[in-house]
Amino acid sequence: WMASAAALAVAYLLGATPTGYLAGRLLKGIDIRQHGSGSTGATNVLRILGKWPALAVFVVDVLKGAAAVAFAGWLTQWLSSVVAPAGLDPNNLLPWTICLAGLAALLGHSRSVWLGFSGGKSVATGLGVVLALSWPVGLGAFAVFGVALAASRIVSLSSVLASSAAIVLVLVLEQPLPYRLLVIAGGLYVIARHRANIQRLLAGTEPRLGQASPSPR
Ligand code: NKO
């Protein structure tokens, strides 16, 4: 239990590392949350800071999610090999710890303790979590994102479709129960984080790549 709690705390803090915010501060001396969509995600970094900072933020945000899952697995296994838990099979605890760690990383990214519990929309971090758990689901969702983006040039729409695809894939590919629950909960969370985007999509005012930014939420 202590291993699980420690893994969740580390996962949250990894997710909470405010990469997009730091990029704005370091490169332009601005609070990126007051520009564009107000998100700290790679898309808003692209809008406000440009291509290379956006790529860097995207890569680090994916790695945050993957690292949170990897660390949770490593810590749980290591601790259970050191202190043999009485009557507790670590193989039963492990998948649940890993999945809760994935959710903690998503929460950390979009509700960062360093940013007054604001942040991004947990798409890139979600991709990292899903890739680390089951790379076919992650690659499938990423492929849907790529096709949707090429067709629509709207990142938020592509993110919502990719999250939906991840949910479908994790069910179709018959993943273990904890993974299914994680991706369903995480996917719905990411979609819910796009509420303002979805309202703009329905109103026909969501900007395409390269178009003027929406006003901060
Ligand atoms: O500023 O509101 P905005 O227009 O920036 O931003 C909307 C955008 C926010 O997301 C980002 C990150 C972009 C990363 C693109 C990689 C997409 C990979 C798709 C995989 C989705 C897996 C989700 C699984 C959830 C558990 O949307």
Side-chain angles (χ1 to χ4, degrees):
W1 278 116
M2 282 196 20
S4 300
L8 294 199
V10 169
Y12 173 83
L13 289 174
L14 273 170
T17 309
T19 43
Y21 175 82
L22 286 176
R25 270 277 168 254
L26 295 175
L27 297 175
K28 257 192 172 177
I30 58 165
D31 182 346
I32 192 156
R33 294 172 300 165
Q34 289 167 4
H35 298 264
S37 68
S39 169
T40 61
T43 307
N44 209 33
V45 171
L46 175 66
R47 255 180 222 121
I48 308 302
L49 302 174
K51 186 163 57 175
W52 295 110
L55 185 66
V57 166
F58 170 70
V59 169
V60 176
D61 284 351
V62 171
L63 289 177
K64 289 193 312 193
V69 167
F71 180 78
W74 175 82
L75 183 72
T76 313
Q77 272 181 337
W78 179 76
L79 267 181
S80 61
S81 70
V82 175
V83 273
L88 202 66
D89 184 355
N91 292 320
N92 287 337
L93 201 58
L94 187 63
W96 293 102
T97 302
I98 287 178
C99 290
L100 287 176
L103 281 182
L106 293 193
L107 205 64
H109 179 77
S110 59
R111 300 271 181 226
S112 172
V113 65
W114 312 119
L115 300 178
F117 299 100
S118 68
K121 295 173 181 173
S122 298
V123 183
T125 302
L127 176 64
V129 167
V130 175
L131 277 175
L133 282 174
S134 161
W135 60 264
V137 175
L139 283 187
F142 190 61
V144 167
F145 177 87
V147 171
L149 186 65
S152 70
R153 314 287 295 165
I154 303 177
V155 181
S156 59
L157 175 67
S158 310
S159 297
V160 169
L161 291 175
S163 304
S164 313
I167 294 174
V168 172
L169 281 170
V170 85
L171 295 173
V172 170
L173 296 179
E174 295 187 26
Q175 298 294 305
L177 178 64
Y179 297 2
R180 287 205 303 261
L181 292 181
L182 162 74
V183 174
I184 293 170
L188 291 177
Y189 178 69
V190 169
I191 294 170
R193 290 290 296 164
H194 284 82
R195 194 166 47 241
N197 302 83
I198 292 169
Q199 276 164 1
R200 285 194 295 267
L201 283 166
L202 293 175
T205 57
E206 180 73 333
R208 292 170 199 269
L209 272 183
Q211 280 183 344
S213 29
S215 46
R217 49 185 163 159

